[in-house]
Amino acid sequence: MRILVAGAAGFIGSHMCDRLLAEGHGVVAVDNFLTGAQENLAHLATHARFRFRLHDITQPLAVDGPLDAVLNLASPASPKDYMQHAIETLDVGSAGTRNLLELARAHGARFLLASTSECYGDPLVHPQVETYWGNVNPVGPRSCYDESKRFAEALTMAYHRTYGLRTNIARIFNTYGPRMKLDDGRVVPAFIDQALRGAPLTIFGDGSQTRSFCYVSDMVEGICRLMQSAESYPVNLGNANEMTVREFAERILRITASPSRILCQPLPEDDPRQRQPDISKARRLLGWEPRVGLDEGLRLTIDFYSRKYEVRA
Ligand SMILES: NC(=O)c1ccc[n+]([C@@H]2O[C@H](COP(=O)([O-])OP(=O)(O)OC[C@H]3O[C@@H](n4cnc5c(N)ncnc54)[C@H](O)[C@@H]3O)[C@@H](O)[C@H]2O)c1
């Protein structure tokens, strides 16, 4: 197949390109480097089946030759990034998604939207099932991201219903692994960075809020399986193993053998107390569930960053 990956220079997008090329597909990678990095794709620059287009998807784009699938992974994804780029985030979910849906329609290609667990907001239902409509503050600091993704989901469903476009919506929960940006404010990269530098690990509140993290290869596998399915309604993809933020911090300190201590700071506005996917739909429909355990995933990630720190030192 020939597959367009928007957001290809980002964390998940770059792993997706690796995976699709390894399976023998051709990849048209699109990115404007708003939050991604050229270095994430540097190893693919000379690959025969890989082509990169520097393009902002909020502007219409045409692609020469056939396209079988369009994957929309383009969007700032961490709170730090989307709060800094609030308007770009709203634009990429709305105009950007629309342009890619039109592109898929023009090519008779299928379309997959990378949506998010943030569609559930600060959820009142635990764990979150796809049929839960969420508890989103439409004017809070996170609304630029949450509402952009909710609009993107609605637009995707409208293209499916109106034009019969084959569409999928992946509701992605926290994902981690090599190539995350260490300074993007998310808890796993922040802890790894702080532990490797010997700086205090900052937790917000008392650290009793829970999170669950999915290793990136599991996430890419889930997205690939979803892309092959006929399910047009959203499907949660993530790891259901919930843990408190304090436990994560302690786990990372143990694996890195870091002398850092844990430091408590005030809770930011709209910080969800609990976030845990119900992945029974993905299990049932896609035969998918995460395979990489937390210790293994953290070791792979920490090894990647330890090597980077050695190069820099
Ligand atoms: N990483 C997670 O834990 C997570 C969780 C939920 C949802 N998601 C979703 O998965 C997708 C990928 O997330 P990520 O963690 O890889 O983020 P990322 O910031 O690393 O990657 C996003 C990429 O999109 C690109 N981009 C942004 N706006 C663009 C535009 N207008 N035109 C072209 N490219 C543009 C960025 O430059 C970047 O390379 C996002 O849509 C995100 O919302 C990620």
Side-chain angles (χ1 to χ4, degrees), residues 47 108 129 131 303:
H47 195 293
V129 269
T131 45
D303 281 355

Side-chain angles (χ1 to χ4, degrees), residues 10-12 35 75-82 116-118 142 145 172-177 179-194 202 204 211 213 245 252 271 275 305:
F11 160 50
I12 301 178
T35 55
S75 171
S78 70
K80 189 173 164 192
D81 280 342
Y82 59 68
T116 173
S117 56
E118 299 281 343
R142 290 168 173 261
Y145 184 62
I172 299 175
F173 284 66
N174 277 336
T175 303
Y176 72 102
R179 302 185 198 145
M180 291 175 299
K181 283 201 299 184
L182 285 187
D183 61 349
D184 75 2
R186 282 187 274 197
V187 59
V188 170
F191 285 171
I192 292 177
D193 179 51
Q194 289 162 337
T202 36
F204 296 109
R211 296 290 184 271
F213 292 97
V245 167
I252 287 173
D271 189 51
R275 196 44 89 56
Y305 289 106

Side-chain angles (χ1 to χ4, degrees), residues 155-178:
L155 194 60
T156 303
M157 290 306 299
Y159 267 72
H160 174 70
R161 292 192 179 108
T162 308
Y163 299 118
L165 197 73
R166 289 167 302 162
T167 55
N168 307 108
I169 298 173
R171 283 204 185 134
I172 299 175
F173 284 66
N174 277 336
T175 303
Y176 72 102

Side-chain angles (χ1 to χ4, degrees), residues 191 201 203 245-254 262:
F191 285 171
L201 271 62
I203 60 177
V245 167
R246 181 174 283 276
E247 283 168 334
F248 268 111
E250 286 162 355
R251 190 74 77 97
I252 287 173
L253 287 179
R254 179 166 57 70
I262 292 174

Side-chain angles (χ1 to χ4, degrees), residues 225-256:
R225 287 192 192 199
L226 179 57
M227 187 177 68
Q228 287 156 31
S229 91
E231 179 61 22
S232 51
Y233 282 99
V235 177
N236 288 340
L237 296 175
N239 196 315
N241 289 333
E242 203 181 10
M243 201 181 257
T244 68
V245 167
R246 181 174 283 276
E247 283 168 334
F248 268 111
E250 286 162 355
R251 190 74 77 97
I252 287 173
L253 287 179
R254 179 166 57 70
I255 295 176
T256 52

Side-chain angles (χ1 to χ4, degrees), residues 121-137:
D122 192 1
L124 305 174
V125 167
H126 299 287
Q128 289 82 58
V129 269
E130 291 86 347
T131 45
Y132 176 52
W133 293 347
N135 178 37
V136 172
N137 175 353

